[in-house]
Amino acid sequence: MSHDHADHGHSHDHPGDGSDASPAWKHDGVRVIGANQLDVNTAQTPGMNRAAAINFARVGAQKLWAGTVTIHADAKTGAHHHGHLESVIYVVRGRARMRWGEKLEFTAEAGPGDFIYVPPFVPHQEINASATETLECVLCRSDGEAVAVNLDIEPVEKPESVLWVDPTHPHGGV
């Protein structure tokens, strides 16, 4: 069933208030942020480029931040955390190696289509595991403002690999 943009006989006003005032949904409803409209004027960590798509300043988001992260081939970020925020990283292209812990003593890898969850206050570092391919990710955080606290950590030389363990993968997954 296709819809054209002509008037199709019913109102889209807010129900119940009895007024004829048109809702502000035209400009305050769904927003599409084009790939060429991302804002690099956001909290940055050395070694990566963050660009905001959805945040409080851009669209009035109250409870989340979303944008992109790019890490150049064979590069890594400085150690950092995101304060009280939860983060979800979705790998679009490339291979991500995460290190985390007080001395970045734990490590795990993720590839295209994988999701990474970073809890609040966890010191971590993103590493592009490829020497030739750019790592491209989508990032979502649990607040409309960006928080990035850069840390001065001396990492352990050989981190411990950690398999993903949860109730459906009790012996660990990759």
Side-chain angles (χ1 to χ4, degrees), residues 39-52 68 80 146 148-150:
D39 182 6
V40 296
N41 185 25
T42 186
Q44 298 291 346
T45 294
M48 70 173 17
N49 301 109
R50 291 188 188 104
T68 60
H80 60 284
V149 179
N150 295 320

Side-chain angles (χ1 to χ4, degrees), residues 17-33:
D17 67 2
S19 73
D20 290 332
S22 176
W25 286 347
K26 179 175 181 179
H27 298 292
D28 294 335
V30 172
R31 300 280 301 275
V32 174
I33 310 302

Side-chain angles (χ1 to χ4, degrees), residues 149-169:
V149 179
N150 295 320
L151 303 170
D152 187 14
I153 288 179
E154 187 62 44
V156 297
E157 200 158 313
K158 264 192 102 41
E160 174 187 345
S161 287
V162 177
L163 293 177
W164 171 46
V165 176
D166 71 9
T168 51
H169 301 83

